[in-house]
């Protein structure tokens, strides 16, 4: 144990010293970020803390390589070591998730979704058009035929979860490129329960007849029945795409299995690697063999050159996620979210869907007369880092919002457990119940300074008891 402590401290301290020789302000900011993260009680559902091994795998000369193409089929020479890490990452991903194919190049979740959309269009619209024209590729089409194919590509529909029900901007919404590529329609949640109503999704799918049915979310605190989504997709001839960016860690850790595991049911699954999966910032696409050749053209179809250093870190993170300890971690994330929800409910908080069965909790703060923006700022004053989020049928829109989204992946990595999360629920309500809007502002607020100070002190004790990166000791660095 002692040697591990020394090794990791030495690695990061030396790295900072080397950086400081060139631009000390960058080294100082990196060091300060560690201090700040150590001191903050982070409830942001989309963030986590990657292991030192994952972090170190990113900081090296793999960053210097261009590697367009796929392992063994590169447009650049001397990619043998990139091939090794990309193959390893893809193999770990396939084994971990039971996927037929894995593509580990996407630089982020949004990029993974773009790869998925274009792959679905290529497989389901462009390829049949090429076959009908009797040509092998788009370059062989006449200008008139190409114009027809382009019109067909631009004439497709997507059906995804509405933003205020917890869907993501990339699921076909107008401010995002997906909303310009597809004619978008959405399904919401049941107004009485806040839950996905599969009969209503089916009805909507029958009306819309989308090319792509998207399941997945950023702010829905429950499991999704992907077997039901598969049936709906099959009935209307849609491709089922699941964006598991948020809950990939729960799939990897076998908390979401059977009907709730997207991989056996979906044609294409996209994810980030940095949220509950606890890897480097990045994205990934899993798919069936049908989509594999199209997905593998992600770069240069829509992606810039692969980031070999990040693929190396993905391989490390995926190897970690295959260990039994990761399944324990994923179970604990969910147990902690339940404890947090129970703590909040005991104090009378209003939760969207009345609770959680994944890693996140959505609190409707309109019950305290606050916007999400006011609640987020007041909680931050008290040392609780959260983020505002819309709630279903939100009267305050997506900027001010009426909700606060909470997640347990980060605190669980630090080692906090149920009793502490229940107490965090108490602290959250203490602050919310002692915050008032300032006049009729949606932004300004007044928080009881005494309460904020007490909560801040207790939050500091809670995180102080669970040091972040205990194996990294940078004291003594100049
Ligand atoms: N998809 C979902 C469901 C997400 O929640 C997010 C992150 O916010 C993304 C995609 C985008 O991920 P990234 O920020 O890595 O592009």
């Amino acid at each position: 144990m002692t040697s591990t402590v020394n090794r990791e401290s030495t690695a990061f301290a030396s790295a900072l010293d080397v950086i400081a020789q060139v631009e000390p302000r960058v080294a100082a900011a990196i060091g300060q970020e560690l201090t700040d993260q150590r001191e903050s009680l982070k409830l942001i559902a989309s963030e986590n803390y990657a292991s030192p091994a994952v972090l170190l795998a990113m900081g090296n000369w793999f960053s210097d390589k261009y590697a367009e193409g796929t392992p063994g089929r590169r447009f650049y020479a001397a990619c043998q070591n990139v091939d090794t890490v990309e193959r390893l990452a893809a193999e770990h991903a396939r084994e971990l998730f039971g996927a037929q194919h894995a593509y580990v190049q996407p630089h982020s979740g949004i990029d993974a979704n773009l790869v998925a959309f274009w792959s679905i269009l290529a497989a389901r619209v462009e390829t049949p058009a090429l076959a009908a024209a009797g040509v092998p590729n788009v370059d062989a089409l006449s200008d008139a035929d190409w114009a027809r194919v382009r019109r067909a590509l631009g004439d497709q529909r997507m059906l995804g979860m509405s933003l205020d029900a917890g869907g993501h901007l990339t699921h076909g919404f107008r401010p995002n490129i997906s909303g310009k590529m597809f004619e978008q329609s959405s399904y919401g949640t049941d107004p009485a329960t806040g839950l996905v109503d599969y009969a209503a999704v089916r009805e909507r799918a029958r009306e819309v007849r989308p090319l792509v049915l998207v399941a997945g979310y950023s702010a829905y605190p429950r499991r999704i029945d992907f077997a039901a989504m598969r049936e709906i997709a099959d009935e209307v001839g849609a491709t089922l795409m699941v964006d598991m960016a948020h809950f990939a860690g729960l799939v990897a850790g076998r908390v979401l299995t059977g009907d709730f595991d997207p991989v056996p049911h979906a044609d294409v699954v996209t994810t980030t690697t940095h949220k509950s999966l606890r890897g480097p910032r990045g994205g990934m696409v899993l798919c069936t063999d049908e989509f594999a050749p199209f997905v593998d053209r992600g770069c240069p179809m829509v992606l810039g050159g692969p980031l070999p250093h990040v693929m190396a870190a993905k391989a490390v993170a995926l190897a970690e996620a295959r260990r039994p300890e990761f399944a324990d971690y994923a179970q604990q994330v969910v147990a902690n979210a339940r404890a947090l929800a129970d703590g909040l409910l005991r104090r009378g908080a209003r939760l969207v869907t009345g609770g959680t069965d994944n890693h996140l909790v959505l609190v409707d703060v309109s019950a305290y007369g606050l916007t999400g923006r006011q609640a987020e700022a007041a909680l931050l004053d008290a040392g609780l880092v959260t983020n505002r989020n819309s709630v279903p049928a939100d009267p305050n829109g997506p900027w001010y919002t009426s909700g606060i989204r909470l997640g347990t992946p980060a605190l669980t990595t630090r080692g906090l457990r149920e009793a502490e999360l229940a107490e965090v629920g108490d602290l959250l309500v203490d602050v919310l119940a002692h915050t008032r809007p300032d006049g009729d502002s949606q932004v300004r607020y007044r928080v009881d300074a005494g309460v904020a100070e007490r909560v801040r002190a207790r939050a500091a004790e809670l995180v102080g008891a669970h040091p972040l990166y205990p194996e990294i000791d940078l004291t003594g660095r100049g």
Side-chain angles (χ1 to χ4, degrees):
M1 187 68 196
T2 314
S3 69
T4 310
V5 169
N6 290 338
R7 208 165 41 223
E8 283 149 354
S9 299
T10 305
F12 285 98
S14 302
L16 289 177
D17 287 344
V18 172
I19 295 165
Q21 282 173 6
V22 181
E23 177 45 289
R25 289 169 297 183
V26 169
I30 295 172
Q32 187 60 43
E33 181 63 22
L34 177 60
T35 306
D36 292 353
Q37 294 217 18
R38 279 180 164 158
E39 289 172 0
S40 83
L41 194 151
K42 182 160 85 173
L43 286 156
I44 294 183
S46 51
E47 291 188 10
N48 210 328
Y49 305 106
S51 72
V54 168
L55 298 179
L56 287 168
M58 275 184 284
N60 56 67
W61 34 90
F62 259 138
S63 166
D64 300 333
K65 272 304 294 169
Y66 245 113
E68 237 176 72
T70 47
R73 281 177 55 85
R74 303 284 185 190
F75 292 87
Y76 286 80
C79 291
Q80 61 280 5
N81 299 309
V82 181
D83 284 0
T84 301
V85 294
E86 182 167 353
R87 281 198 178 108
L88 271 172
E91 182 187 314
H92 282 313
R94 283 194 309 273
E95 292 291 326
L96 178 64
F97 292 107
Q100 287 176 9
H101 185 71
Y103 180 65
V104 297
Q105 292 187 11
H107 312 325
S108 74
I110 287 181
D111 288 8
N113 284 350
L114 264 181
V115 172
F117 299 151
W118 282 113
S119 302
I120 293 167
L121 286 168
R124 295 275 162 99
V125 179
E126 193 177 87
T127 300
L130 295 179
V135 297
N137 57 53
V138 285
D139 287 330
L141 285 171
S142 68
D143 286 352
D145 280 346
W146 177 229
R148 260 192 294 282
V149 172
R150 288 188 58 209
R151 271 198 299 279
L153 290 169
D155 198 23
Q156 301 299 326
R157 293 173 298 283
M158 172 176 284
L159 177 61
M161 186 182 240
S162 67
L163 280 180
D164 67 352
H168 192 259
L169 206 63
T170 57
H171 299 173
F173 294 92
R174 288 180 193 176
N176 180 259
I177 184 74
S178 56
K180 306 179 207 295
M181 290 166 62
F182 291 96
E183 188 182 321
Q184 205 272 350
S185 298
S186 46
Y187 55 86
T189 44
D190 183 309
T193 61
L195 300 172
V196 172
D197 173 349
Y198 296 94
V201 178
R202 183 183 300 271
E203 205 171 303
R204 197 86 187 92
R206 282 178 182 156
E207 284 161 20
V208 173
R209 304 202 81 80
L211 173 73
V212 190
L213 174 63
V214 185
Y217 54 79
S218 294
Y220 179 70
R222 298 289 178 175
R223 299 180 297 184
I224 300 241
D225 182 341
F226 298 111
M229 286 293 193
R230 172 82 260 167
E231 266 183 34
I232 295 168
D234 285 344
E235 187 186 320
V236 301
T239 304
L240 179 61
M241 171 182 154
V242 175
D243 180 348
M244 65 170 183
H246 256 265
F247 52 89
L250 306 187
V251 179
R254 306 276 178 270
V255 174
L256 298 177
T257 56
D259 293 351
F260 306 105
D261 175 354
V263 181
H265 302 291
D267 299 289
V268 181
V269 177
T270 58
T271 185
T272 55
T273 47
H274 49 271
K275 302 185 204 263
S276 55
L277 195 53
R278 209 164 61 180
R281 297 201 70 80
M284 200 162 70
V285 181
L286 309 175
C287 63
T288 58
D289 289 334
E290 178 196 349
F291 291 90
F294 305 100
V295 165
D296 278 350
R297 279 181 228 140
C299 167
M301 181 168 56
V302 291
L303 297 177
L307 308 175
H309 55 308
V310 181
M311 292 196 290
K314 286 174 185 170
V316 174
L318 290 161
E320 288 176 349
R322 291 182 68 188
R323 292 179 175 169
E325 304 90 276
F326 193 86
D328 298 341
Y329 164 71
Q331 298 280 355
Q332 193 63 49
V333 166
V334 174
N336 280 352
R338 272 201 198 113
L340 175 64
D342 290 346
L344 287 159
L345 289 168
R346 262 198 302 278
R347 292 285 304 276
R350 194 193 297 161
L351 305 187
V352 173
T353 78
T356 179
D357 45 34
N358 57 19
H359 63 297
L360 68 85
V361 175
L362 195 55
V363 187
D364 183 344
V365 295
S366 63
Y368 303 98
L370 301 171
T371 62
R373 174 123 185 220
Q374 290 162 324
E376 176 190 88
L379 291 167
L380 193 59
D381 289 346
L384 305 173
V385 186
T386 66
N387 71 286
R388 65 185 185 279
N389 208 100
S390 299
V391 299
D394 199 315
N396 288 323
W399 180 248
Y400 297 112
T401 81
S402 303
I404 284 290
R405 188 185 67 168
L406 311 168
T408 53
L411 289 183
T412 306
T413 296
R414 286 185 84 133
L416 277 81
R417 297 181 73 89
E418 288 93 324
E420 288 151 317
L421 267 297
E423 187 184 346
V424 170
D426 262 334
L427 298 179
L428 287 157
V429 175
D430 285 346
V431 177
L432 294 172
H434 289 90
T435 305
R436 298 274 170 272
D438 187 355
D440 56 9
S441 172
Q442 290 183 296
V443 178
R444 291 189 312 278
Y445 60 94
R446 290 173 195 278
V447 55
D448 181 312
V451 170
E453 193 170 320
R454 178 176 59 74
V455 169
R456 177 179 278 280
R458 183 58 191 144
E461 281 172 6
L462 282 171
V463 293
H466 297 279
L468 175 63
Y469 296 121
E471 62 278 72
I472 300 171
D473 179 3
L474 298 180
T475 51
R477 260 199 84 249

